[in-house]
Amino acid sequence: MRENSLKSYLMILSAMLIFSTLGIFRRYIPLSSGMLACTRGFLGSAFLLLFIFLRGRKLPNLGKRNLFLLAITGALIGVNWIFMFEAYNYTTVAMATMCYYMQPTIVVLISPIVLRERITGKKLACAITAIIGMVFLSGIMEGGKVRAEDMTGMLYALGAAGLYASVIILNKKIQVEDSYVKTVIQLIFATLILIPYLLVTERGNSQNLDMLAIIMVIIVGIVHTGIAYALYFGSMKELKAQSIAVLSYTDPVFALILSALVLHEQLSIFGMLGAVLIIGSALISEISVRKPVSRLSTCQDRR
């Protein structure tokens, strides 16, 4: 049992490490954000579909309501990816990642309206703390003028966070127990819905990729999506939901460290303080939950 738990910890930490490198890979792929998002969805869904079939599973009859919600969430995931890839184009990986981890705060603030859930004093305090962290991260507190590119990137990342917060909330209404099945259907819909968008936006655009760029695109689709999701969901059998939620926050920590080491990106003192407030408030909000947390609701905070 202990060996299984250790294996599960290694699996989820490996998944977080893979997710944390996504922004770095994006920097070296000269594709448009829409094309990269569509390719990611296609390769990721193909890998997970093969993974499901090799495990002897079949796609169940999901019903019209579930399929409709999966299509909506799939579309939101596709646009979310476009926004996030654009954020990496405009600002640093560190800043984009921190903005994206405003997701839990957005969920906390809109859940009382959408889901009629009561917001506790502790969750409200965590949300306010995260917003203060966002102000520090923006550079406003440093007195200098915020670069237009950084502000654009932050807005894209916050837009991506808002979109995925919507996915998290809608996922609570989808009655599909198998996380692999839910995810692969969403990725298929994300791919299908992005195709018409690409037919309009990419018309006449020719993009030449060298071998390194092609390999990196394949890695983003197979490794960052297919393998990372398989590791993430596979780790859940032996881990408690709260452990999964807490370990998920190693993703932005890894991203900050790797962006500094690989891309030589540095956060200012105010930026680091903002990052601590955002990650810390989200973490405290997660571990403060006393009632059992569904693994299905915990597993949706993915890039």
Side-chain angles (χ1 to χ4, degrees):
M1 187 71 175
R2 187 172 296 176
E3 289 182 2
N4 289 337
S5 295
L6 177 59
K7 180 182 176 182
S8 295
Y9 278 114
L10 291 175
M11 287 172 67
I12 191 170
L13 287 173
S14 297
M16 294 305 106
L17 182 58
I18 292 170
F19 285 131
S20 70
T21 63
L22 183 59
I24 296 173
F25 273 74
R26 174 50 178 134
R27 286 293 178 83
Y28 296 100
I29 298 175
L31 281 178
S32 69
S33 295
M35 182 65 74
L36 182 56
C38 188
T39 306
R40 182 189 185 188
F42 173 75
L43 293 174
S45 59
F47 179 92
L48 286 176
L49 203 57
L50 180 61
F51 180 78
I52 290 171
F53 290 149
L54 287 177
R55 298 186 69 188
R57 299 183 185 180
K58 295 181 179 180
L59 296 181
N61 184 5
L62 301 173
K64 292 181 179 179
R65 181 178 182 276
N66 282 329
L67 277 176
F68 174 74
L69 289 173
L70 287 168
I72 296 297
T73 51
L76 292 173
I77 289 170
V79 180
N80 156 75
W81 285 348
I82 292 176
F83 274 40
M84 201 59 204
F85 289 147
E86 281 296 288
Y88 292 137
N89 283 340
Y90 280 96
T91 189
T92 63
V93 170
M95 191 171 289
T97 301
M98 287 303 98
C99 292
Y100 190 65
Y101 268 82
M102 289 294 288
Q103 286 176 35
T105 300
I106 297 171
V107 172
V108 166
L109 293 176
I110 66 178
S111 288
I113 301 170
V114 179
L115 298 176
R116 306 296 181 188
E117 291 182 354
R118 190 175 71 87
I119 184 170
T120 64
K122 183 171 286 188
K123 282 191 174 291
L124 181 59
C126 287
I128 293 172
T129 301
I131 293 170
I132 294 172
M134 191 71 251
V135 174
F136 283 143
L137 186 70
S138 70
I140 294 174
M141 300 298 293
E142 297 174 50
K145 186 177 180 180
V146 181
R147 291 192 321 131
E149 292 85 355
D150 283 331
M151 185 58 67
T152 301
M154 291 173 67
L155 290 174
Y156 270 122
L158 287 171
L163 288 167
Y164 216 86
S166 302
V167 172
I168 294 169
I169 289 175
L170 287 174
N171 272 335
K172 296 183 178 183
K173 300 179 181 294
I174 299 174
Q175 298 176 342
V176 178
E177 291 298 319
D178 192 321
S179 298
Y180 292 107
V181 170
K182 177 191 288 188
T183 301
V184 77
I185 298 298
Q186 287 174 325
L187 294 185
I188 289 171
F189 275 120
T191 306
L192 292 175
I193 290 168
L194 285 176
I195 290 174
Y197 168 79
L198 292 179
L199 291 176
V200 174
T201 60
E202 299 292 325
R203 183 176 297 174
N205 292 342
S206 59
Q207 301 184 16
N208 297 319
L209 301 180
D210 58 24
M211 185 54 65
L212 178 61
I214 292 172
I215 292 172
M216 293 189 118
V217 169
I218 293 172
I219 291 174
V220 167
I222 301 295
V223 180
H224 286 90
T225 312
I227 293 176
Y229 279 29
L231 287 170
Y232 186 66
F233 294 132
S235 70
M236 294 181 182
K237 293 180 181 179
E238 300 295 333
L239 297 179
K240 294 180 180 178
Q242 199 167 83
S243 297
I244 297 168
V246 172
L247 288 170
S248 293
Y249 288 96
T250 58
D251 173 5
V253 175
F254 285 147
L256 289 177
I257 295 171
L258 291 172
S259 65
L261 292 175
V262 179
L263 301 176
H264 306 292
E265 296 178 353
Q266 301 293 334
L267 283 176
S268 65
I269 296 298
F270 279 107
M272 287 188 282
L273 178 58
V276 170
L277 290 176
I278 291 170
I279 297 175
S281 62
L283 189 56
I284 292 170
S285 180
E286 292 280 6
I287 64 177
S288 66
V289 180
R290 297 297 182 189
K291 62 182 181 179
V293 183
S294 166
R295 281 179 169 81
L296 290 181
S297 63
T298 312
C299 73
Q300 301 308 325
D301 258 23
R302 294 280 39 85
R303 286 207 243 176

